[in-house]
């Protein structure tokens, strides 16, 4: 079997109302890129890139000539020919695009062998995967009310928990003053005393503010405190002043980032 083409398609996922975050607002849709890997045996595998538009198209264009003609059943050979680590920064630039292609190749392998992909990866370790409610402060629309206060966030949380059965609630912060957002978390704790709570201010707080807000958040009880301040050094300083578990979706996103996180003891 050989790869004959790689096609990227940008898709827009509609949102119920505009979502607010530290960098601005998602006005009404999330953009993702679906990657199709086609083969000479008419089996098509699907992958996804978290980015979108021209940047994702450029990633796939850079990788396309490197993977056409390769066997999707030989992922390590494909990995080294598509982007090997000795290429330095180029390796970093292509990693998300290759991840989508690799995922599509796993899809192809499962379809070709008529086996679920988890069997190819060593077997299933669970039959269910828990999801968390991911709650944003939101602007109002003609159909839906805004979400800005603690009471409004609780009402929103009650709606999605009732609909989907979430037992974990994460709030995307970094929008209002830190004291207001901690107050929202206190209100959520009162309404959901047994749920796991998470807060992600999107690195929008100073280290001193993150330390100060950590004290009432300890009393509330968080499963983890995600990216409240900027960088490994900031998170490392914070870690010395809080009992909360620290998490990141910003500073450790590739294998190359792990040694730095260990050296700083930042998360």
């Amino acid at each position: 079997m050989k790869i004959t083409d790689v096609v990227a398609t940008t898709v827009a996922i509609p949102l119920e109302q505009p979502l607010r975050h530290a960098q601005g607002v998602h006005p009404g849709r999330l953009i993702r890129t679906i990657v199709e890997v086609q083969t000479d045996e008419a089996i098509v595998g699907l992958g996804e890139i978290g980015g979108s538009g021209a940047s994702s198209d450029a990633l796939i264009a850079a990788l396309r000539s490197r993977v056409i003609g390769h066997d999707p059943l030989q992922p390590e050979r494909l990995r080294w020919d598509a982007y090997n680590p000795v290429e330095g920064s180029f390796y970093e630039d292509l990693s998300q695009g290759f991840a989508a292609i690799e995922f599509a190749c796993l899809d192809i392998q499962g379809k070709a062998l008529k086996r679920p992909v988890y069997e190819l990866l060593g077997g299933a370790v669970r039959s269910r995967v828990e999801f968390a409610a991911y709650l944003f402060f939101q602007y109002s629309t003609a159909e839906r009310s805004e979400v800005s206060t603690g009471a409004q966030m609780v009402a929103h949380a009650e709606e999605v928990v009732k609909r989907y059965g979430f037992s974990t609630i994460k709030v995307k912060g970094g929008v209002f003053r830190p004291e207001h957002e901690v107050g929202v978390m206190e209100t959520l704790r009162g309404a959901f005393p047994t749920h796991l709570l998470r807060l992600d201010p999107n690195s929008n707080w100073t280290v001193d503010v993150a330390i100060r807000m950590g004290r009432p958040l300890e009393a509330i009880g968080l499963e983890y405190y995600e990216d409240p301040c900027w960088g490994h050094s900031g998170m490392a300083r914070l870690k010395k002043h809080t009992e909360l578990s620290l998490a990141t979706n910003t500073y450790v996103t590739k294998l190359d980032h792990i040694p730095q996180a260990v050296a700083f003891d930042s998360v």
Side-chain angles (χ1 to χ4, degrees), residues 187-260:
T187 307
L188 277 171
R189 173 53 76 213
F192 297 92
T194 62
H195 279 58
L196 296 175
L197 298 182
R198 306 168 181 173
L199 176 63
D200 174 12
N202 253 171
S203 306
N204 208 29
W205 297 351
T206 66
V207 177
D208 289 341
V209 167
I211 292 171
R212 181 160 49 87
M213 294 301 104
R215 295 177 186 127
L217 289 171
E218 287 174 2
I220 293 167
L222 298 186
E223 181 186 16
Y224 59 69
Y225 194 17
E226 180 179 341
D227 288 326
C229 52
W230 185 259
H232 284 293
S233 59
M235 293 287 280
R237 278 185 57 201
L238 169 63
K239 191 173 182 181
K240 296 176 181 177
H241 295 277
T242 184
E243 296 177 359
L244 294 169
S245 296
L246 303 184
T248 183
N249 188 37
T250 305
Y251 313 114
V252 186
T253 58
K254 298 181 176 70
L255 290 174
D256 292 5
H257 298 166
I258 293 175
Q260 189 176 13

Side-chain angles (χ1 to χ4, degrees), residues 49-101:
I49 301 177
S52 59
S55 60
S56 295
D57 290 344
L59 275 177
I60 297 306
L63 286 162
R64 184 174 178 273
S65 62
R66 294 176 170 224
V67 302
I68 287 178
H70 278 276
D71 184 349
L73 302 182
Q74 297 185 21
E76 283 305 306
R77 173 67 182 272
L78 181 64
R79 179 195 306 276
W80 279 85
D81 286 353
Y83 81 115
N84 70 72
V86 299
E87 290 185 273
S89 62
F90 198 43
Y91 165 85
E92 288 276 329
D93 294 340
L94 296 179
S95 60
Q96 278 205 16
F98 181 77
I101 291 173

Side-chain angles (χ1 to χ4, degrees), residues 11-21 24-32 136-144:
V11 297
I13 305 165
L15 301 173
E16 290 180 339
Q17 62 194 105
L19 306 181
R20 303 179 67 181
H21 51 80
V25 61
H26 284 304
R29 64 191 182 278
L30 291 175
I31 305 299
R32 294 293 184 266
F136 286 70
F137 294 106
Q138 302 177 31
Y139 286 121
S140 62
T141 65
E143 296 79 22
R144 298 180 66 85

